[in-house]
PDB file of all heavy atoms in Angstrom:
ATOM      1  N   THR A 155       0.172   2.430 -21.577  1.00  0.00           N
ATOM      2  CA  THR A 155      -0.408   1.194 -22.039  1.00  0.00           C
ATOM      3  C   THR A 155      -1.030   1.321 -23.413  1.00  0.00           C
ATOM      4  O   THR A 155      -1.888   2.235 -23.569  1.00  0.00           O
ATOM      5  CB  THR A 155      -1.390   0.601 -21.085  1.00  0.00           C
ATOM      6  OG1 THR A 155      -0.797   0.507 -19.729  1.00  0.00           O
ATOM      7  CG2 THR A 155      -1.948  -0.766 -21.449  1.00  0.00           C
ATOM      8  N   ASP A 156      -0.736   0.500 -24.382  1.00  0.00           N
ATOM      9  CA  ASP A 156      -1.355   0.539 -25.685  1.00  0.00           C
ATOM     10  C   ASP A 156      -2.641  -0.309 -25.591  1.00  0.00           C
ATOM     11  O   ASP A 156      -2.627  -1.477 -25.352  1.00  0.00           O
ATOM     12  CB  ASP A 156      -0.384  -0.177 -26.696  1.00  0.00           C
ATOM     13  CG  ASP A 156      -1.052  -0.286 -28.093  1.00  0.00           C
ATOM     14  OD1 ASP A 156      -2.239   0.052 -28.257  1.00  0.00           O
ATOM     15  OD2 ASP A 156      -0.344  -0.803 -28.951  1.00  0.00           O
ATOM     16  N   PRO A 157      -3.832   0.418 -25.710  1.00  0.00           N
ATOM     17  CA  PRO A 157      -5.067  -0.324 -25.437  1.00  0.00           C
ATOM     18  C   PRO A 157      -5.277  -1.507 -26.417  1.00  0.00           C
ATOM     19  O   PRO A 157      -5.964  -2.484 -26.109  1.00  0.00           O
ATOM     20  CB  PRO A 157      -6.155   0.704 -25.721  1.00  0.00           C
ATOM     21  CG  PRO A 157      -5.473   1.904 -26.415  1.00  0.00           C
ATOM     22  CD  PRO A 157      -3.972   1.831 -26.068  1.00  0.00           C
ATOM     23  N   ASP A 158      -4.629  -1.442 -27.589  1.00  0.00           N
ATOM     24  CA  ASP A 158      -4.818  -2.544 -28.571  1.00  0.00           C
ATOM     25  C   ASP A 158      -4.179  -3.855 -28.149  1.00  0.00           C
ATOM     26  O   ASP A 158      -4.357  -4.845 -28.802  1.00  0.00           O
ATOM     27  CB  ASP A 158      -4.315  -2.097 -29.881  1.00  0.00           C
ATOM     28  CG  ASP A 158      -5.214  -1.043 -30.522  1.00  0.00           C
ATOM     29  OD1 ASP A 158      -6.423  -0.988 -30.155  1.00  0.00           O
ATOM     30  OD2 ASP A 158      -4.730  -0.192 -31.316  1.00  0.00           O
ATOM     31  N   THR A 159      -3.231  -3.806 -27.134  1.00  0.00           N
ATOM     32  CA  THR A 159      -2.556  -4.936 -26.716  1.00  0.00           C
ATOM     33  C   THR A 159      -3.278  -5.674 -25.509  1.00  0.00           C
ATOM     34  O   THR A 159      -2.850  -6.809 -25.100  1.00  0.00           O
ATOM     35  CB  THR A 159      -1.150  -4.705 -26.307  1.00  0.00           C
ATOM     36  OG1 THR A 159      -1.097  -3.705 -25.195  1.00  0.00           O
ATOM     37  CG2 THR A 159      -0.298  -4.087 -27.416  1.00  0.00           C
ATOM     38  N   VAL A 160      -4.211  -4.968 -24.898  1.00  0.00           N
ATOM     39  CA  VAL A 160      -4.742  -5.433 -23.601  1.00  0.00           C
ATOM     40  C   VAL A 160      -5.493  -6.688 -23.670  1.00  0.00           C
ATOM     41  O   VAL A 160      -5.261  -7.627 -22.836  1.00  0.00           O
ATOM     42  CB  VAL A 160      -5.607  -4.301 -23.034  1.00  0.00           C
ATOM     43  CG1 VAL A 160      -6.342  -4.765 -21.792  1.00  0.00           C
ATOM     44  CG2 VAL A 160      -4.804  -3.053 -22.683  1.00  0.00           C
ATOM     45  N   GLU A 161      -6.459  -6.843 -24.684  1.00  0.00           N
ATOM     46  CA  GLU A 161      -7.170  -8.101 -24.758  1.00  0.00           C
ATOM     47  C   GLU A 161      -6.354  -9.289 -24.918  1.00  0.00           C
ATOM     48  O   GLU A 161      -6.512 -10.344 -24.329  1.00  0.00           O
ATOM     49  CB  GLU A 161      -8.278  -7.955 -25.848  1.00  0.00           C
ATOM     50  CG  GLU A 161      -9.392  -7.061 -25.434  1.00  0.00           C
ATOM     51  CD  GLU A 161     -10.044  -6.373 -26.650  1.00  0.00           C
ATOM     52  OE1 GLU A 161      -9.382  -5.486 -27.326  1.00  0.00           O
ATOM     53  OE2 GLU A 161     -11.192  -6.708 -26.994  1.00  0.00           O
ATOM     54  N   ARG A 162      -5.403  -9.178 -25.880  1.00  0.00           N
ATOM     55  CA  ARG A 162      -4.543 -10.279 -26.158  1.00  0.00           C
ATOM     56  C   ARG A 162      -3.736 -10.657 -24.931  1.00  0.00           C
ATOM     57  O   ARG A 162      -3.546 -11.791 -24.604  1.00  0.00           O
ATOM     58  CB  ARG A 162      -3.607  -9.888 -27.364  1.00  0.00           C
ATOM     59  CG  ARG A 162      -2.648 -11.017 -27.595  1.00  0.00           C
ATOM     60  CD  ARG A 162      -1.590 -10.689 -28.790  1.00  0.00           C
ATOM     61  NE  ARG A 162      -0.576 -11.620 -28.668  1.00  0.00           N
ATOM     62  CZ  ARG A 162       0.710 -11.428 -29.014  1.00  0.00           C
ATOM     63  NH1 ARG A 162       1.060 -10.205 -29.425  1.00  0.00           N
ATOM     64  NH2 ARG A 162       1.614 -12.325 -28.923  1.00  0.00           N
ATOM     65  N   PHE A 163      -3.171  -9.619 -24.233  1.00  0.00           N
ATOM     66  CA  PHE A 163      -2.303  -9.839 -23.065  1.00  0.00           C
ATOM     67  C   PHE A 163      -3.115 -10.633 -21.994  1.00  0.00           C
ATOM     68  O   PHE A 163      -2.590 -11.655 -21.427  1.00  0.00           O
ATOM     69  CB  PHE A 163      -1.775  -8.549 -22.522  1.00  0.00           C
ATOM     70  CG  PHE A 163      -0.783  -8.752 -21.392  1.00  0.00           C
ATOM     71  CD1 PHE A 163       0.548  -8.900 -21.717  1.00  0.00           C
ATOM     72  CD2 PHE A 163      -1.209  -8.829 -20.020  1.00  0.00           C
ATOM     73  CE1 PHE A 163       1.492  -9.073 -20.654  1.00  0.00           C
ATOM     74  CE2 PHE A 163      -0.265  -8.973 -19.034  1.00  0.00           C
ATOM     75  CZ  PHE A 163       1.040  -9.137 -19.343  1.00  0.00           C
ATOM     76  N   VAL A 164      -4.306 -10.228 -21.743  1.00  0.00           N
ATOM     77  CA  VAL A 164      -5.143 -10.805 -20.713  1.00  0.00           C
ATOM     78  C   VAL A 164      -5.482 -12.306 -21.105  1.00  0.00           C
ATOM     79  O   VAL A 164      -5.433 -13.180 -20.354  1.00  0.00           O
ATOM     80  CB  VAL A 164      -6.315  -9.946 -20.354  1.00  0.00           C
ATOM     81  CG1 VAL A 164      -7.262 -10.653 -19.399  1.00  0.00           C
ATOM     82  CG2 VAL A 164      -5.849  -8.668 -19.732  1.00  0.00           C
ATOM     83  N   ALA A 165      -5.912 -12.373 -22.434  1.00  0.00           N
ATOM     84  CA  ALA A 165      -6.365 -13.710 -22.888  1.00  0.00           C
ATOM     85  C   ALA A 165      -5.237 -14.716 -22.875  1.00  0.00           C
ATOM     86  O   ALA A 165      -5.401 -15.859 -22.452  1.00  0.00           O
ATOM     87  CB  ALA A 165      -6.974 -13.603 -24.319  1.00  0.00           C
ATOM     88  N   GLU A 166      -4.056 -14.284 -23.334  1.00  0.00           N
ATOM     89  CA  GLU A 166      -2.905 -15.261 -23.469  1.00  0.00           C
ATOM     90  C   GLU A 166      -2.168 -15.499 -22.105  1.00  0.00           C
ATOM     91  O   GLU A 166      -1.557 -16.548 -22.062  1.00  0.00           O
ATOM     92  CB  GLU A 166      -1.941 -14.761 -24.496  1.00  0.00           C
ATOM     93  CG  GLU A 166      -2.621 -14.754 -25.918  1.00  0.00           C
ATOM     94  CD  GLU A 166      -1.585 -14.494 -27.044  1.00  0.00           C
ATOM     95  OE1 GLU A 166      -0.364 -14.498 -26.741  1.00  0.00           O
ATOM     96  OE2 GLU A 166      -2.051 -14.292 -28.169  1.00  0.00           O
ATOM     97  N   THR A 167      -2.308 -14.641 -21.198  1.00  0.00           N
ATOM     98  CA  THR A 167      -1.618 -14.908 -19.933  1.00  0.00           C
ATOM     99  C   THR A 167      -2.486 -15.480 -18.890  1.00  0.00           C
ATOM    100  O   THR A 167      -2.088 -16.177 -17.936  1.00  0.00           O
ATOM    101  CB  THR A 167      -1.034 -13.597 -19.298  1.00  0.00           C
ATOM    102  OG1 THR A 167      -2.102 -12.688 -19.118  1.00  0.00           O
ATOM    103  CG2 THR A 167      -0.006 -12.900 -20.249  1.00  0.00           C
ATOM    104  N   GLY A 168      -3.781 -15.223 -18.918  1.00  0.00           N
ATOM    105  CA  GLY A 168      -4.734 -15.663 -17.868  1.00  0.00           C
ATOM    106  C   GLY A 168      -4.576 -14.924 -16.560  1.00  0.00           C
ATOM    107  O   GLY A 168      -4.892 -15.362 -15.472  1.00  0.00           O
ATOM    108  N   VAL A 169      -3.894 -13.683 -16.668  1.00  0.00           N
ATOM    109  CA  VAL A 169      -3.633 -12.895 -15.428  1.00  0.00           C
ATOM    110  C   VAL A 169      -4.903 -12.427 -14.778  1.00  0.00           C
ATOM    111  O   VAL A 169      -5.967 -12.265 -15.433  1.00  0.00           O
ATOM    112  CB  VAL A 169      -2.719 -11.745 -15.897  1.00  0.00           C
ATOM    113  CG1 VAL A 169      -3.534 -10.647 -16.556  1.00  0.00           C
ATOM    114  CG2 VAL A 169      -1.963 -11.222 -14.737  1.00  0.00           C
ATOM    115  N   ASP A 170      -4.860 -12.252 -13.468  1.00  0.00           N
ATOM    116  CA  ASP A 170      -6.041 -11.977 -12.718  1.00  0.00           C
ATOM    117  C   ASP A 170      -6.277 -10.448 -12.574  1.00  0.00           C
ATOM    118  O   ASP A 170      -7.476  -9.995 -12.547  1.00  0.00           O
ATOM    119  CB  ASP A 170      -5.912 -12.463 -11.273  1.00  0.00           C
ATOM    120  CG  ASP A 170      -5.744 -13.964 -11.348  1.00  0.00           C
ATOM    121  OD1 ASP A 170      -6.684 -14.642 -11.499  1.00  0.00           O
ATOM    122  OD2 ASP A 170      -4.546 -14.431 -11.221  1.00  0.00           O
ATOM    123  N   PHE A 171      -5.265  -9.653 -12.448  1.00  0.00           N
ATOM    124  CA  PHE A 171      -5.389  -8.181 -12.350  1.00  0.00           C
ATOM    125  C   PHE A 171      -4.255  -7.568 -13.253  1.00  0.00           C
ATOM    126  O   PHE A 171      -3.212  -8.211 -13.396  1.00  0.00           O
ATOM    127  CB  PHE A 171      -5.112  -7.647 -10.944  1.00  0.00           C
ATOM    128  CG  PHE A 171      -5.498  -8.562  -9.835  1.00  0.00           C
ATOM    129  CD1 PHE A 171      -4.597  -8.828  -8.822  1.00  0.00           C
ATOM    130  CD2 PHE A 171      -6.831  -9.137  -9.739  1.00  0.00           C
ATOM    131  CE1 PHE A 171      -4.952  -9.702  -7.748  1.00  0.00           C
ATOM    132  CE2 PHE A 171      -7.140  -9.962  -8.723  1.00  0.00           C
ATOM    133  CZ  PHE A 171      -6.246 -10.275  -7.754  1.00  0.00           C
ATOM    134  N   LEU A 172      -4.504  -6.368 -13.717  1.00  0.00           N
ATOM    135  CA  LEU A 172      -3.587  -5.744 -14.658  1.00  0.00           C
ATOM    136  C   LEU A 172      -3.268  -4.326 -14.213  1.00  0.00           C
ATOM    137  O   LEU A 172      -4.158  -3.462 -14.036  1.00  0.00           O
ATOM    138  CB  LEU A 172      -4.193  -5.703 -16.101  1.00  0.00           C
ATOM    139  CG  LEU A 172      -3.148  -5.311 -17.174  1.00  0.00           C
ATOM    140  CD1 LEU A 172      -2.092  -6.286 -17.292  1.00  0.00           C
ATOM    141  CD2 LEU A 172      -3.970  -5.115 -18.518  1.00  0.00           C
ATOM    142  N   ALA A 173      -1.916  -4.054 -14.027  1.00  0.00           N
ATOM    143  CA  ALA A 173      -1.476  -2.674 -13.691  1.00  0.00           C
ATOM    144  C   ALA A 173      -1.221  -2.014 -15.089  1.00  0.00           C
ATOM    145  O   ALA A 173      -0.637  -2.595 -15.939  1.00  0.00           O
ATOM    146  CB  ALA A 173      -0.158  -2.726 -12.968  1.00  0.00           C
ATOM    147  N   ILE A 174      -1.772  -0.814 -15.184  1.00  0.00           N
ATOM    148  CA  ILE A 174      -1.748  -0.106 -16.434  1.00  0.00           C
ATOM    149  C   ILE A 174      -1.023   1.195 -16.236  1.00  0.00           C
ATOM    150  O   ILE A 174      -0.988   1.842 -15.142  1.00  0.00           O
ATOM    151  CB  ILE A 174      -3.124   0.046 -17.140  1.00  0.00           C
ATOM    152  CG1 ILE A 174      -4.075   0.753 -16.090  1.00  0.00           C
ATOM    153  CG2 ILE A 174      -3.695  -1.249 -17.601  1.00  0.00           C
ATOM    154  CD1 ILE A 174      -5.370   1.089 -16.753  1.00  0.00           C
ATOM    155  N   ALA A 175      -0.425   1.753 -17.324  1.00  0.00           N
ATOM    156  CA  ALA A 175       0.265   3.000 -17.279  1.00  0.00           C
ATOM    157  C   ALA A 175      -0.592   3.997 -17.914  1.00  0.00           C
ATOM    158  O   ALA A 175      -0.768   3.988 -19.194  1.00  0.00           O
ATOM    159  CB  ALA A 175       1.626   2.911 -17.965  1.00  0.00           C
ATOM    160  N   VAL A 176      -1.203   4.947 -17.216  1.00  0.00           N
ATOM    161  CA  VAL A 176      -2.168   5.903 -17.742  1.00  0.00           C
ATOM    162  C   VAL A 176      -1.807   7.339 -17.200  1.00  0.00           C
ATOM    163  O   VAL A 176      -2.659   8.166 -17.123  1.00  0.00           O
ATOM    164  CB  VAL A 176      -3.648   5.526 -17.407  1.00  0.00           C
ATOM    165  CG1 VAL A 176      -4.059   4.339 -18.253  1.00  0.00           C
ATOM    166  CG2 VAL A 176      -3.862   5.336 -15.993  1.00  0.00           C
ATOM    167  N   GLY A 177      -0.546   7.570 -16.755  1.00  0.00           N
ATOM    168  CA  GLY A 177      -0.220   8.871 -16.348  1.00  0.00           C
ATOM    169  C   GLY A 177       0.206   9.017 -14.868  1.00  0.00           C
ATOM    170  O   GLY A 177       0.533  10.165 -14.464  1.00  0.00           O
ATOM    171  N   THR A 178       0.326   7.895 -14.194  1.00  0.00           N
ATOM    172  CA  THR A 178       0.852   8.010 -12.842  1.00  0.00           C
ATOM    173  C   THR A 178       2.355   7.476 -12.807  1.00  0.00           C
ATOM    174  O   THR A 178       2.787   6.904 -13.851  1.00  0.00           O
ATOM    175  CB  THR A 178       0.045   7.200 -11.813  1.00  0.00           C
ATOM    176  OG1 THR A 178      -0.009   5.840 -12.270  1.00  0.00           O
ATOM    177  CG2 THR A 178      -1.351   7.740 -11.666  1.00  0.00           C
ATOM    178  N   ALA A 179       3.008   7.672 -11.716  1.00  0.00           N
ATOM    179  CA  ALA A 179       4.470   7.254 -11.669  1.00  0.00           C
ATOM    180  C   ALA A 179       4.733   7.027 -10.171  1.00  0.00           C
ATOM    181  O   ALA A 179       4.059   7.529  -9.228  1.00  0.00           O
ATOM    182  CB  ALA A 179       5.351   8.329 -12.226  1.00  0.00           C
TER     183      ALA A 179
END
Side-chain angles (χ1 to χ4, degrees):
T155 304
D156 174 356
D158 291 333
T159 59
V160 171
E161 283 150 294
R162 178 181 164 213
F163 187 88
V164 171
E166 293 189 11
T167 59
V169 77
D170 301 280
F171 329 129
L172 189 65
I174 54 173
V176 290
T178 58

